[in-house]
Amino acid sequence: MGRHLAAGALAGAAGTTVLNAIGYLDMAVRGRPASEIPERAVDVIADRLHADLGEGETAHNRQQGLGPMLGVLLLPGASPERTRARAADPAWVAMLANTARTQAVRVPSLGITAVNFWNDGTTGGLTASAPCAVLVRERGDGTAALTVSDPRCDLDELTLTWDRPVAGVLDRHPLLDGAATGARLALRFGRLADLDGGSVTVTVRLADRV
């Protein structure tokens, strides 16, 4: 059971990291309860894989543990062969962290690192001074886009540092109060709470690693 379910969970982790923030924001704004769909999905998948989740409290605990890890991966235009190959190769995405404090994944082929900071902390070369959602996209043209959001809508300020050499900032959002480049990047944002969960993107020019 473990190998098959873990492979499926890892394959969906990148999308789930972003969707978690949206889902929890919706719960907070609308006052709705948590969805039971992830736990139900675990039952369906386990049944089709003929996997035994156990009985009683053991089964319930496995549903709650595996449910939030499930995600959806879209492969537009992919052939059945390519889809099977992706399903058989979970190494395309790296799980950087999956704790009560931080959830993070990296997709090397896309240059993407996605992190949900539930507290201040450091993971994947990124350090946040407060809870936030961060998406980094390194592009083939030598630039990178860093996007941050405040799903809880309560941040008066946020400092985000990236342990990556950066030559300069190419654009500045009005909420970007300050930026330091060089051996690593440091971005200081103002009141993200005013965006009602919306995101801020900053584009930078990367420098060669020493």
Side-chain angles (χ1 to χ4, degrees):
M1 177 195 73
R3 181 172 63 85
H4 292 92
L5 289 182
L10 184 59
T16 302
T17 297
V18 177
L19 291 175
N20 275 345
I22 298 173
Y24 289 133
L25 174 62
D26 184 53
M27 289 166 59
V29 172
R30 295 168 53 193
R32 68 169 178 82
S35 172
E36 296 180 356
I37 291 177
E39 285 76 11
R40 293 177 184 173
V42 170
D43 281 336
V44 172
I45 294 172
D47 181 65
R48 293 185 178 179
L49 292 176
H50 303 289
D52 183 11
L53 294 177
E55 301 292 336
E57 185 176 353
T58 297
H60 178 67
N61 291 341
R62 284 175 173 161
Q63 287 175 334
Q64 289 192 319
L66 290 169
M69 295 175 64
L70 298 178
V72 177
L73 173 65
L74 301 180
L75 298 175
S79 66
E81 291 76 17
R82 184 187 173 197
T83 302
R84 282 193 292 268
R86 174 55 57 84
D89 181 23
W92 73 278
V93 58
M95 179 77 73
L96 303 180
N98 187 23
T99 70
R101 296 183 62 86
T102 310
Q103 291 176 307
V105 295
R106 177 175 290 144
V107 185
S109 63
L110 300 178
I112 287 177
T113 300
V115 185
N116 271 346
F117 289 100
W118 305 113
N119 303 88
D120 60 299
T122 300
T123 190
L126 294 162
T127 299
S129 64
C132 62
V134 181
L135 181 67
V136 178
R137 176 71 183 272
E138 296 185 58
R139 300 164 174 160
D141 62 357
T143 66
L146 293 88
T147 300
V148 300
S149 64
D150 171 23
R152 303 192 315 174
C153 304
D154 67 355
L155 291 183
D156 290 325
E157 60 181 12
L158 171 71
T159 298
L160 177 71
T161 61
W162 186 26
D163 190 17
R164 174 73 166 84
V166 170
V169 176
L170 298 180
D171 60 23
R172 290 177 174 271
H173 189 278
L175 285 180
L176 180 63
D177 288 341
T181 59
R184 68 173 185 169
L185 175 69
L187 301 175
R188 188 175 70 254
F189 297 94
R191 188 173 166 78
L192 293 173
D194 292 339
L195 297 181
D196 296 327
S199 61
V200 172
T201 298
V202 176
T203 303
V204 300
R205 172 69 61 186
L206 298 176
D208 293 336
R209 296 181 184 272
V210 178

